[in-house]
């Protein structure tokens, strides 16, 4: 059991990526990853080409690629009955056809099969998620941090973090993950941007072992944080009990001590958020540092706490999934559009 570093969004030359499956494994080795998800657009044909890999876990996934947005399905085994409805290349599909008329119908089906649904780069035009009727009950993850080499993600990623923060405040315990959206090792001709890197950002997952099933179980339980470099811990202490990222303390009453640690090569700003508001903050020098914060729980009102790490300019470097306390809130709103319709640029920042 331990923390494993990986990437939940990568492509091969079986869709619009550059690397062959074996070459992508070599890239993952060079980056020091423990796992990555293969998420080609509307195809799973690359699966059979990876061969026998024993040192890196490859999580089978698929990026359902539509005109109204992209989302990943993780944990695919065999040939599910819904595959013919989405395995159409070239992508994107103008719409779903056949048995599943809307993304929510397909998400409900895959969720019922024990798979995980994750909306990708939700606020990054022109690939932003436009299906306002998406039922959030069938969304397990949100890609809050996508390919930092893409210039428009300077705004798209912080807006995604802010969107997820609003979901948390409405009672949705949807896991935040990151994905490099890796396609190629160098920009296309004419693109003025940095090179992409597999594993940037990284998602660190606490799993009982290094296996695909254990990694996805950790994600389902929100035992994860997203990072552009810093190594992070975030824990809550109540009496003799220690609770890690993703924990649900339930109706616990009394004092709770929170402690976050950060290891990074440059000075950083660290903050603890409670229900979206900054509850504590500190400036840390390069190296190893920590931030402590104490709160009192009444056991009734729901609260969530997470640790954010920012650089000296206020740009996010790492975000943990929350630790939860109190009775879970039941949201009266269910659709994606309830959170994005009418939102101004300023309202999507934190």
């Amino acid at each position: 059991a331990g923390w494993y570093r990986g990437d939940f969004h990568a492509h091969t030359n079986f869709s619009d990526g550059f690397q062959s499956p074996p070459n992508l494994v070599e890239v993952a080795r060079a980056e020091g990853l423990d796992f990555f998800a293969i998420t080609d657009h509307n195809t799973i044909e690359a699966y059979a080409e990876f061969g026998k890999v024993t040192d890196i876990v490859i999580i089978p996934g698929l990026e359902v690629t539509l005109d109204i947005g992209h989302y990943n399905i993780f944990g695919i085994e065999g040939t599910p009955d819904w595959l013919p409805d989405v395995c159409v290349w070239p992508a994107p599909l103008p719409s779903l056809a056949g048995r599943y008329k809307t993304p929510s119908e397909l998400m409900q089906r895959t969720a019922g099969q024990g798979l995980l649904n994750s909306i990708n780069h939700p606020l990054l035009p022109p690939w932003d998620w436009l299906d306002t009727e998406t039922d959030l009950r069938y969304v397990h993850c949100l890609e809050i941090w996508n390919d930092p080499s893409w210039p428009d993600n300077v705004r798209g990623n912080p807006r995604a973090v802010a969107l997820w923060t609003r979901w948390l405040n409405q009672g949705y315990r949807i896991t935040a993950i990151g994905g490099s959206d890796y396609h190629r090792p160098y920009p296309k001709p004419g693109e003025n941007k940095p090179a992409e890197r597999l594993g940037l950002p990284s998602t660190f997952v606490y799993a009982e072992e290094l296996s695909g099933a254990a990694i996805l179980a950790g994600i389902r339980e929100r035992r994860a944080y997203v990072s552009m470099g810093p190594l992070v811990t975030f824990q809550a202490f109540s009496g003799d009990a220690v609770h890690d990222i993703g924990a649900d303390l339930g109706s616990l009453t009394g004092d709770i001590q929170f402690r976050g640690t950060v290891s990074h090569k440059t000075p950083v700003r660290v903050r603890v958020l409670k229900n979206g508001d900054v509850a504590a903050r500190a400036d840390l020098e390069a190296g190893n540092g920590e931030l402590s914060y104490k709160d009192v729980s009444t056991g009734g009102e729901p609260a969530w706490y997470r640790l954010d790490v920012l650089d000296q300019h206020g740009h996010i470097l790492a975000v943990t999934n929350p630790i939860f306390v109190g009775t879970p809130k039941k949201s009266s709103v269910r659709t994606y559009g309830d959170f994005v319709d009418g939102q101004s640029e300023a309202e999507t920042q934190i």
Side-chain angles (χ1 to χ4, degrees), residues 8 29 35 50 53 56 62 159 162 184 252 256 332:
F8 281 100
R29 286 195 182 104
F35 70 89
F50 279 100
V53 180
I56 296 176
L62 170 76
R159 294 181 67 201
R184 57 190 58 83
L252 178 76
I256 306 175
S332 60

Side-chain angles (χ1 to χ4, degrees), residues 150-273:
W150 194 256
D152 288 345
N153 267 330
V154 171
R155 294 191 312 173
N157 286 334
R159 294 181 67 201
V161 174
L163 172 65
W164 174 61
T165 301
R166 294 198 298 278
W167 288 1
L168 292 170
N169 280 339
Q170 279 294 318
Y172 286 100
R173 297 185 175 186
I174 292 171
T175 305
I177 62 173
S180 69
D181 208 349
Y182 183 82
H183 285 80
R184 57 190 58 83
Y186 44 79
K188 290 181 178 179
E191 285 186 341
N192 183 20
K193 60 186 283 293
E196 300 171 17
R197 282 188 60 186
L198 187 67
L200 192 68
S202 295
T203 304
F204 289 81
V205 182
Y206 187 87
E208 295 303 320
E209 63 180 16
L210 182 56
S211 70
I215 292 293
L216 294 181
I219 287 295
R220 192 179 292 277
E221 296 170 5
R222 303 173 299 277
R223 298 187 296 183
Y225 70 92
V226 180
S227 178
M228 291 286 290
L231 299 178
V232 172
T233 69
F234 185 51
Q235 296 177 311
F237 301 84
S238 57
D240 295 329
V242 181
H243 312 274
D244 288 304
I245 294 169
D248 181 358
L249 280 60
S251 57
L252 178 76
T253 59
D255 292 346
I256 306 175
Q257 184 76 33
F258 294 90
R259 185 177 69 192
T261 69
V262 181
S263 176
H264 195 48
K265 296 178 180 179
T266 61
V268 293
R269 299 173 179 176
V270 184
R271 64 190 184 190
V272 173
L273 266 59

Side-chain angles (χ1 to χ4, degrees), residues 57-85:
V57 167
I58 302 170
I59 296 173
L62 170 76
E63 186 167 17
V64 178
T65 307
L66 307 167
D67 278 345
I68 55 174
H70 303 179
Y71 80 94
N72 285 339
I73 301 174
F74 299 123
I76 300 168
E77 295 184 45
T79 308
D81 55 5
W82 47 265
L83 270 179
D85 294 287

Side-chain angles (χ1 to χ4, degrees), residues 319-333:
V319 179
T320 73
N321 278 277
I323 295 172
F324 298 92
V325 182
T327 304
K329 181 178 180 178
K330 293 185 178 179
S331 179
S332 60
V333 291

